[in-house]
Structures are given as C-alpha cells and as structure tokens.
Amino acid sequence: MDMGIAGRTALVCAASKGLGRGCAEALAAEGVNLVITARTKETLEATAADIRAKFGVDVTAVACDITTPEGHAAALAPCPSPDILVNNAGGPPSGDFRQFSHDDWIRALDANMLTPIELIKRTIDGMIDRGFGRIVNITSSSVKAPIDVLGLSNGARSGLTGFVAGVARRVASTGVTINNLLPGAFDTDRIAVTLVAQAKAENITLEEARARRVKSLPAGRFGTADEFGRACAFLCSVHAGYVIGQNWLIDGGAYPGTY
Ligand code: NAD
C-alpha cells in the first residue's frame, strides 16, 4: 500500500535504537526525509548512515538530550516545520513510589509529558497552515494497564495522554492528526533493562526472566521494532486522516480487557 507521504519531512525523537529507530526506518521506507535525534553522537550517526544507505532519503542526525530546552531547539533547527513529528524519549526508572523524589518526578514529566507537548506546540501551526500533519507519541501500555513499579511512567504518560485527547480533537478539522502508540513488550534495550530488574527481584537468571515474560504474552514472543514502526508509518499516512486522538495498544494481546 502506498502511504502517500513520500517527500514529506519527519522529526523522529530518540531514534538511534529501539522503537524510535523502527519508526524512522518505516517512514524512510515510505520516502520520508528525516531528522533523527539521540544523545550519543556516534550511535546516532551510524543509524543515520544505515538509513540513508538503505532507503536513499535525506537523514539529518542531531545529537542532543531531547528532554531539555536546548534539545528542543537543536532538534528543530534543521527543519523547524516538519510534516510529521514522532515524540519519543527514554522511559523513567522503576521503583517504589515512596523513593521517588521531586526531581525524579520532574525528570519523568520533562521526558514523557512536557517535551512532547513542547514539540507539538512548536510544530503544529505549520502543519495546520499546510493542511497536513501527523503527530505520533510513543507512550506505553502502562497508560491503559498501569505497572505498579513504573509509577513515574504511569503518571507522566497519562498526563500526556489527557493533553492529547483534548488537542487532537481541537485540530481534527485541519488535516492534522495526533495519536498515541502504546507499546507492550518489545525486544529492545529497554525491555532488557526491565528483565534484569525482574531477574534480580525474583532471584532467577536473566534467561528464566525472559522465558517467563515471553510465556505470559498471548503472542508467545516479544514484538519487533519493525512491526512497531510499520504501525507508526500507517498512522502517519494519508490513509489515517480519520484516526483522531486514539491510543493504539500494540502488545501481542497482553492487555486482557475487551475494550
Ligand atoms: P530503547 O532504550 O531501546 O531506545 C531508546 C532510544 O531513545 C535510544 O535511541 C536512546 O538513545 C534514545 N534516548 C533515550 N533518552 C533520550 C534523551 N533524553 N534524548 C534523546 N534520546 C534519548 O527504548 P525503546 O524500547 O525503544 O523504548 C522507547 C520508549 O517506549 C521508551 O519511553 C520506553 O519506556 C517506552 N516503552 C518501551 C517498551 C518496550 O517493550 N520496549 C514498552 C513500553 C514502553
């Protein structure tokens, strides 16, 4: 299916690895020119070079911490008015909520709520003026089914979800859509970190922790960044113009509810 977005421009945040990279690659496969960000210059440049070589699109790499005001400015400098914005950043640490300090909360809010809101604020008017825009926020299945040790994530991402629910409808008639993608368990560095914590907590090996987690998933496996990216590309396509303010759970069937 032709997604109808060849030649468009996208800013994909936190895209040197994992789900962000999956989104960047899937958009590049549709002919979208990219600005990608991550903190580590070498890894990011290597990802940019891979994507250029594979898909022949323009890829600008901006090494920055996307959760800071300097990061917002740097990310938007090469392309201040992209057609597509994919918001993403690393997830907050797990832990007992009694141990989370005020600074921990501010860091989580900056990364997983306030940065996406700021980038939406800075890019949406250009999209409205052009009559086309696609904004996708990578959040988490924890928005729908909270994970007790991820209180920082549950809270910050739910704040973003509430904000998006309002704004997405407000701009719905302008050709700009805003939606959230909610990953369940995907095989990335992030899941590796949570499995290490699980193995430690349950006093089992990493392999055992991985096997237990996989067994708990109806799909019987972790998702791939490629699968996630393809879903993102569809949401960014011309065909998804009537999908407004949705929370699309991609979790291999892990969420047990009917709705
Ligand atoms: P990952 O650790 O594999 O990749 C994260 C990417 O973000 C890397 O490219 C890293 O360099 C970049 N990054 C992290 N912090 C950054 C910052 N401050 N500024 C710029 N770049 C930054 O993670 P992932 O699995 O791809 O997860 C992406 C998001 O989805 C995270 O917020 C994560 O918590 C969330 N999530 C992931 C899963 C999963 O199963 N993988 C499940 C639920 C939610």
Side-chain angles (χ1 to χ4, degrees):
M1 179 164 61
D2 178 2
M3 297 290 174
I5 48 177
R8 295 280 184 188
T9 53
L11 167 59
V12 186
C13 302
S16 67
K17 296 191 266 182
L19 304 180
R21 178 171 179 160
C23 295
E25 292 213 12
L27 290 170
E30 300 304 324
V32 173
N33 297 310
L34 303 173
V35 177
I36 59 173
T37 80
R39 285 165 304 185
T40 313
K41 193 169 189 291
E42 295 69 33
T43 324
L44 183 66
E45 295 281 5
T47 298
D50 276 357
I51 296 177
R52 268 183 225 114
K54 221 161 140 187
F55 302 105
V57 295
D58 295 340
V59 186
T60 305
V62 180
C64 64
D65 180 343
I66 197 63
T67 68
T68 64
E70 298 73 26
H72 305 158
L76 286 169
C79 179
S81 197
D83 302 306
I84 295 167
L85 168 66
V86 179
N87 277 314
N88 184 32
S94 59
D96 185 321
F97 76 94
R98 293 175 190 82
Q99 313 301 328
F100 297 147
S101 66
H102 184 77
D103 282 350
D104 293 332
W105 274 107
I106 296 300
R107 265 192 296 276
L109 290 170
D110 276 342
N112 301 117
M113 178 182 173
L114 299 177
T115 286
I117 291 173
E118 180 64 22
L119 294 177
I120 291 170
K121 190 171 115 186
R122 292 194 189 198
T123 56
I124 200 164
D125 287 329
M127 296 180 188
I128 292 171
D129 289 346
R130 292 189 298 278
F132 178 88
R134 296 287 184 263
I135 299 174
V136 175
N137 304 299
I138 300 180
T139 64
S140 172
S141 61
S142 70
V143 170
K144 221 167 145 60
I147 301 167
D148 65 348
V149 295
L150 287 177
L152 292 170
S153 173
N154 301 337
R157 296 186 201 275
S158 293
L160 175 64
T161 304
F163 168 80
V164 164
V167 177
R169 283 149 183 101
R170 183 154 174 208
V171 301
S173 67
T174 67
V176 177
T177 71
I178 316 178
N179 292 287
N180 304 315
L181 275 179
L182 284 55
F186 280 80
D187 206 358
T188 66
D189 287 0
R190 170 77 176 173
I191 202 93
V193 170
T194 62
L195 288 174
V196 168
Q198 186 190 335
K200 204 171 154 200
E202 296 176 18
N203 200 20
I204 53 177
T205 64
L206 191 55
E207 291 67 35
E208 181 59 21
R210 197 178 170 85
R212 282 188 194 177
R213 189 74 197 273
V214 166
K215 205 170 163 212
S216 75
L217 299 169
R221 63 174 179 84
F222 292 125
T224 68
D226 180 64
E227 288 172 311
F228 191 85
R230 301 284 172 171
C232 177
F234 174 71
L235 279 182
C236 295
S237 76
V238 293
H239 310 297
Y242 209 53
V243 183
I244 306 287
Q246 295 302 299
N247 291 288
W248 186 1
L249 189 60
I250 307 181
D251 70 346
Y255 176 72
T258 306
Y259 303 108

